[in-house]
């Protein structure tokens, strides 16, 4: 049930990379810059071709190139006129699809669409094709005499046709993915995959039992209030190593902090300069998967609760969420939790980060769904089967919260269903709920 997870050392640019992936402007902007550079290179090639033919006295060759470029001018003009309309229609439909998915599942899944690589790539290529077509139209020379022409946009026109073909291919891929993300299966799988990615970034080793040095100072948050999205682990470890101290992150990732909230505690002989820790803590308006171990369970639980509400009444969706919750809990069943220790290259602990413990994760994944499960035999049967699977996987010291949830679920079903036959049916573990 669990997946093999290997810890990866934090990268220096990892927070920046994650924050840029949470934006939708960066990729299109870079695409527009790159297409300008590409057009400039293609224009230089076209000018070089014309100059070579002129120096060789091949006027007929220049005339032939002018004829080909003139034939493609109609295509370029059509692309330029139609591309922006095409972009508007496609992404208007996409926004409606996103709104429907957010209303049916949870508003927090909009982030999946924002981080989608194919969505950003499609939008970027569409805009780049439109800009390229405009730039190519400016390259057409008004001179009719081949001896006076300085450039013929032949390579540029061919490049625009290639971009149009790429846009069509990406459009098919984009529509396919958008339709997939309107289904519950791919959505919960993406959430679970992102959650397991956060687990993979955690250190594989737990605390070594050595106590920390006495705390000598605390550093408070001085910026705007918001959610603690992540911390720059590589930078904090580097600063702690240079100063010979251990830094301890006081709030958990995902906590809401206000100005003056203590964020970092310093254990060691001296206090690092505040300037050295600048931009090491990221505060935003919403949680992310980057270092937030419980965010995926929060989303899966939200989707399941909405599915089990009387207005929706979709227990099968709740069962699909339980499948991923059990998978995630199985993946972290044997990992160190509660506090993770980040070490420098010599293996010395430099950063201590508080993360949800095993009991916290079990409660987050099961509590709210369990309270709604007694009225749905499909959900109660699936939850019992999942708990039984986890009981066979976890170490003995982690069985207590699972046993507690199992007992509470059984008691709730017994109180809710008066008929003995119905109680027996609802309390029979089944990995498919009701197959």
């Amino acid at each position: 049930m669990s997946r093999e997870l290997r810890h990866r050392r934090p990268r220096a640019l990892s927070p920046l990379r994650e924050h840029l992936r949470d934006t939708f402007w960066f990729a299109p902007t870079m695409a527009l810059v790159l297409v300008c550079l590409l057009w400039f290179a293609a224009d230089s090639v076209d000018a070089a071709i014309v100059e070579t033919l002129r120096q060789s006295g091949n006027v007929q060759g220049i005339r032939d190139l002018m004829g080909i470029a003139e034939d493609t001018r109609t295509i370029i003009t059509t692309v330029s006129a139609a591309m922006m309309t095409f972009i508007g229609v496609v992404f208007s439909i996409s926004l409606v699809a996103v709104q429907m998915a957010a209303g049916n599942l949870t508003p927090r899944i909009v982030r999946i669409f924002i981080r989608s690589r194919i969505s950003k790539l499609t939008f970027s290529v569409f805009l780049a094709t439109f800009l390229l077509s405009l730039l190519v139209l400016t390259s057409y020379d008004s001179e009719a005499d081949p001896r006076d022409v300085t450039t013929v946009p032949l390579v540029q026109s061919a490049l625009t046709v290639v971009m149009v073909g790429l846009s069509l291919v990406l459009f098919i891929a984009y529509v396919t993915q958008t339709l997939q993300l309107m289904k519950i299966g791919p959505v919960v799988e993406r959430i679970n995959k992102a959650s397991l990615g956060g687990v993979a970034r955690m250190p594989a080793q737990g605390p070594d039992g050595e106590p920390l040095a006495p705390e000598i100072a605390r550093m408070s948050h001085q910026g705007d209030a918001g959610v603690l999205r992540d911390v720059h682990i590589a930078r904090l470890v580097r600063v702690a190593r240079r100063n010979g101290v251990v830094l301890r992150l006081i709030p958990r990732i995902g906590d809401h902090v206000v100005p003056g909230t203590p964020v970092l505690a310093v254990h060691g002989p001296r206090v690092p300069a505040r300037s050295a820790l600048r931009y090491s803590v990221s505060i935003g308006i919403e949680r992310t998967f980057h270092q937030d171990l419980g965010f995926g369970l929060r989303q899966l639980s939200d989707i399941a609760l909405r599915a089990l509400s009387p207005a929706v009444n979709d227990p099968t969706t709740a069962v699909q969420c339980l499948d991923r919750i059990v998978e995630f809990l199985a993946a972290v069943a044997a990992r160190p939790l509660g506090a993770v220790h980040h070490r420098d290259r010599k293996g010395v602990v430099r950063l201590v980060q508080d993360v949800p413990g095993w009991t916290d994760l079990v409660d987050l994944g099961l509590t709210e769904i369990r309270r709604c499960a007694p009225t749905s035999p499909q959900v109660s049967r699936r939850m019992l089967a999942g708990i039984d699977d986890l009981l066979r996987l976890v170490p003995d010291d982690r069985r207590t919260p699972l046993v507690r949830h199992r007992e509470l679920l059984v008691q709730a079903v017994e109180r809710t269903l008066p008929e003995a036959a119905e109680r027996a049916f609802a309390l029979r573990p089944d990995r498919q709920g009701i197959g």
Side-chain angles (χ1 to χ4, degrees), residues 22-90:
D22 284 332
T23 66
F24 207 82
W25 62 265
F26 180 73
T29 302
M30 291 303 299
L32 295 178
V33 173
L34 291 175
V35 81
C36 289
L37 298 176
L38 187 62
W39 168 79
F40 180 79
D43 184 58
S44 300
V45 172
D46 286 330
I49 292 174
V50 171
E51 183 63 25
T52 301
L53 292 175
R54 178 180 292 109
Q55 291 179 359
S56 63
N58 190 356
V59 178
Q60 183 60 38
I62 298 177
R63 184 176 288 108
D64 293 340
L65 292 181
M66 292 176 63
I68 296 174
E70 192 64 32
D71 292 338
T72 60
R73 187 170 188 170
T74 304
I75 299 176
I76 304 301
T77 304
T78 303
V79 170
S80 177
M83 186 55 70
M84 282 305 295
T85 303
F86 184 62
I87 293 173
V89 172
V90 170

Side-chain angles (χ1 to χ4, degrees), residues 77 86 95 107 127 138 146 161 198-199 211 213 245 279 391 393:
T77 304
F86 184 62
L95 290 177
L127 288 179
T138 64
V161 173
V199 176
V245 300
Y279 307 120
L391 286 171
L393 294 173

